[in-house]
C-alpha cells in the first residue's frame, strides 16, 4: 500500500544521505563518524572530534542504530 511506498522512499532517502556522509567523511580523511540521538554528527579527524554540518532527525538516528548497519 501507500504506507509501504512511503517507507521505501524514506529508506532510500536515508541510504542516500548515509552514502553521502561516508563519501564526505572519507574525503576529509575521517576515521570515524559519531552519531548520537539529539546531538550533532561528529567526525574523528587526526584523533580530534570535529562537528560536521550534517543534521539527522532523532528518528533517523534511531533507525540507523537499530538497523545495525554501522556496527562492527
Amino acid at each position: 500500500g501507500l504506507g509501504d511506498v512511503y517507507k521505501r522512499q524514506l529508506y532510500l532517502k536515508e541510504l542516500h544521505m548515509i552514502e553521502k556522509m561516508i563519501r564526505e567523511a572519507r574525503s576529509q580523511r575521517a576515521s570515524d563518524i559519531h552519531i548520537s540521538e539529539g546531538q550533532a554528527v561528529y567526525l574523528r579527524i587526526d584523533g580530534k572530534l570535529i562537528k560536521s554540518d550534517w543534521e539527522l532527525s532523532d528518528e533517523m538516528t534511531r533507525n540507523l542504530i537499530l538497523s545495525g548497519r554501522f556496527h562492527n
Side-chain angles (χ1 to χ4, degrees):
L2 289 178
D4 291 334
V5 171
Y6 174 76
K7 287 179 186 176
R8 177 78 176 151
Q9 288 175 339
L10 183 60
Y11 171 78
L12 292 174
K13 182 180 176 184
E14 290 177 354
L15 187 60
H16 176 72
M17 178 181 262
I18 294 163
E19 290 172 347
K20 183 177 177 182
M21 286 174 53
I22 291 170
R23 279 194 307 274
E24 289 183 23
R26 284 183 178 161
S27 74
Q28 295 181 44
R29 301 184 58 95
S31 60
D32 301 291
I33 302 172
H34 292 256
I35 300 171
S36 297
E37 187 175 357
Q39 297 189 22
V41 176
Y42 285 82
L43 301 177
R44 183 174 303 280
I45 302 172
D46 295 327
K48 298 176 185 169
L49 287 178
I50 308 296
K51 185 177 179 179
S52 76
D53 294 332
W54 303 317
E55 292 185 22
L56 302 179
S57 68
D58 288 346
E59 181 180 5
M60 185 172 177
T61 301
R62 278 191 299 273
N63 290 342
L64 285 172
I65 292 167
L66 295 174
S67 74
R69 288 183 201 147
F70 296 102
H71 297 236
N72 290 333

